[in-house]
Amino acid sequence: MNDIELSDFFELTPDLVWIAGKDGFLQHVNHAVIEKLGYTAEELYASPITTFMYPEDVEKTLLKRAQLFEGEVLHNYFNRYVTKTGNIIWLEWTSVYIADKGIILAIAKDITARKKIEQEAEEQYNKFKGLTTHFKSRIEKDRKYFAYELHEELAQLVSVINMDVSWLKINVADLPENVTSRIEHASEVSRLLIKTIQRLAFSLSPQMMDDFGLNATLEWLCREFTVLNGIACAFTSDYDEQNMVDEMKTDIFRICQEALTNVLNYSQAGNIEIHVKDTGNCIELCIRDSGNGFNSELEKQTTGFTSIQKRATSINGTVTLHNKTGEGSGICIQIQNQNSPVNLKIMPVRLV
């Protein structure tokens, strides 16, 4: 082994190895570089390295190169090069600047095949994500239609029945007491039915979110939850919903719906707090329940939790619940702002 010169390794390794000067020109390359890029050694030495780079990668590569001169070692950095035949290849680099010699020693692996697989996977992901968004939009459109039919058609018909029943009570004299009692009962039931239809219509598709926004809708949701269940539910916010896309608003509303249902059905709930705020990089939604909490393993089996998981996954999210018996439970959802790639994570929260 001692008899083998370092230059032998330089030439025999299948990795691309080159030595470059601080001026940005190559001084020496191994055979793998020539074979991979398709240029002769003379052609490679005659032009700056940037000549062979994919144009869109030049600027970021030069920034990385500047860091080398400041003493940083470059690990696992990848960029693209254009071969003499016009093909684009991906290379992953490890580079070091040897200051006393004024040279950069760089070693690269060809990761083109891996990148193609990653790009294909990303294309498939985007395809299925697009389908998911389409189906979600289709479902929300159908919900809106059914909500409209419930509120505008069925509720109106029940209102007419209630008016007719009331008319009988007012205009028909000397009705027997048992008949009057039944009329009053029918009137009360019809009023309850109207309120039930209105709640169902809101649950299916809250028209007020289009009219008044997400804040007003979540405030109403909390008030309605408090009235119906006798459990205090407060909503606060510190964000500008004008910066939100409609899909994000819908997802936040639906997750709040599911979370409140879970708290009601699977825990001895205490006071509930819902808070939405803008942290700069993301919109954060926190739902806290100060009650006795619920069993995490049981919760993972519930339809509500599965629905939250699926909704989170549809926008590239992961779900984690914070729960400790006797100390309440919580969900904190972080959604990247509209200007960033969508990414949602549900993280553990500290309960008060």
Side-chain angles (χ1 to χ4, degrees), residues 111-176:
I111 58 169
T112 305
R114 190 182 83 192
K115 276 294 181 180
K116 285 182 178 179
I117 293 173
E118 290 176 358
Q119 288 172 347
E120 289 173 0
E122 184 176 358
E123 288 172 3
Q124 288 297 316
Y125 166 78
N126 289 331
K127 175 183 176 181
F128 288 118
K129 185 175 183 296
L131 287 173
T132 300
T133 301
H134 168 75
F135 288 128
K136 281 169 57 178
S137 299
R138 179 73 255 180
I139 289 171
E140 290 297 332
K141 186 176 180 179
D142 289 342
R143 282 174 180 250
K144 187 171 290 188
Y145 169 77
F146 287 123
Y148 177 85
E149 291 296 312
L150 277 173
H151 190 272
E152 300 299 327
E153 299 293 335
L154 190 56
Q156 293 298 330
L157 290 174
V158 177
S159 295
V160 171
I161 293 173
N162 185 50
M163 292 172 60
D164 288 344
V165 171
S166 298
W167 184 91
L168 289 173
K169 182 180 178 180
I170 295 171
N171 293 281
V172 179
D174 302 324
L175 288 172

Side-chain angles (χ1 to χ4, degrees), residues 125 129 248 281-284 311-319 333-347:
Y125 166 78
K129 185 175 183 296
M248 186 185 294
N281 293 326
C282 66
I283 298 296
E284 186 174 81
R311 189 169 290 274
T313 302
S314 73
I315 47 177
N316 195 27
T318 57
V319 180
I333 305 159
Q334 294 178 329
I335 311 172
Q336 288 185 359
N337 272 324
Q338 187 176 347
N339 293 332
S340 302
V342 176
N343 181 34
L344 177 149
K345 292 184 180 179
I346 300 182
M347 306 295 291

Side-chain angles (χ1 to χ4, degrees), residues 37 41 46 65 73 89 92 136 147 185 187 199 236 282 323 340:
L37 295 181
R65 188 169 178 269
V73 177
I89 61 172
E92 185 174 35
K136 281 169 57 178
H185 180 263
S187 180
R199 283 197 298 271
T236 56
C282 66
N323 172 63
S340 302

Side-chain angles (χ1 to χ4, degrees), residues 50-61:
T50 53
T51 305
F52 310 104
M53 288 183 196
Y54 188 68
E56 292 182 10
D57 293 349
V58 170
E59 184 176 354
K60 68 173 184 177
T61 302

Side-chain angles (χ1 to χ4, degrees), residues 7-19:
S7 59
D8 293 331
F9 286 105
F10 189 88
E11 292 299 335
L12 292 174
T13 178
D15 294 335
L16 287 75
V17 184
W18 69 37
I19 295 173

Side-chain angles (χ1 to χ4, degrees), residues 16 18 20 24 26 29 33 36-39 44 47-58 60-62 65 74 77-93 95 106-112:
L16 287 75
W18 69 37
L26 292 169
V29 299
V33 174
K36 191 65 64 175
L37 295 181
Y39 294 96
L44 291 169
S47 301
I49 300 173
T50 53
T51 305
F52 310 104
M53 288 183 196
Y54 188 68
E56 292 182 10
D57 293 349
V58 170
K60 68 173 184 177
T61 302
L62 290 177
R65 188 169 178 269
L74 190 63
Y77 173 74
F78 52 85
N79 60 5
R80 289 165 289 184
Y81 280 78
V82 182
T83 69
K84 191 171 184 177
T85 58
N87 293 326
I88 298 172
I89 61 172
W90 285 87
L91 299 177
E92 185 174 35
W93 295 92
S95 304
I107 303 174
K109 291 183 180 296
D110 182 358
I111 58 169
T112 305

